[in-house]
Amino acid sequence: VHGLLQCAIFYKIHVVKENMRKRLIDGFLADNALGVYITACACGLEREARKAARRLRKREGLSVDSEDWSQVSALSYLRLLRYLRGG
């Protein structure tokens, strides 16, 4: 999903982009909120990143071992940590 979404954004293929945004939330948020957050941040999808952050806040703990963090800016990572800590 991540690669296809990036291509759709880059080439301005709006139909694919909207379809992938929906699939990202509907298909992956429940089981992989961290992956959704990382993908959303890397692709500039603020609304989807917020939804994923809200989902992560309901859970205990946050995995920092994911290789996917390399695709996210330090600012996005710090914003998530601040949000999860209630700040």
Side-chain angles (χ1 to χ4, degrees):
V1 171
H2 183 96
L4 185 57
L5 187 53
Q6 284 186 320
C7 287
I9 291 168
F10 182 80
Y11 290 108
K12 296 180 171 94
I13 306 171
H14 298 292
V15 173
V16 174
K17 178 183 170 186
E18 293 307 313
N19 189 9
M20 290 295 99
R21 288 176 88 153
K22 183 173 175 24
R23 176 169 277 201
L24 187 63
I25 294 299
D26 294 346
F28 298 100
L29 185 61
D31 296 325
N32 189 8
L34 179 58
V36 170
Y37 181 80
I38 290 170
T39 297
C41 287
C43 294
L45 305 175
E46 190 71 28
R47 183 178 58 210
E48 288 76 9
R50 278 193 226 112
K51 286 180 183 181
R54 283 193 296 270
R55 175 71 118 195
L56 286 167
R57 197 172 202 181
K58 294 177 184 178
R59 293 185 181 171
E60 290 293 321
L62 177 65
S63 171
V64 292
D65 297 337
S66 177
E67 291 180 17
D68 295 330
W69 281 116
S70 66
Q71 300 174 30
V72 176
S73 71
L75 178 61
S76 294
Y77 178 71
L78 291 174
R79 282 182 14 194
L80 178 61
L81 289 180
R82 185 177 299 139
Y83 176 75
L84 293 176
R85 291 182 179 149

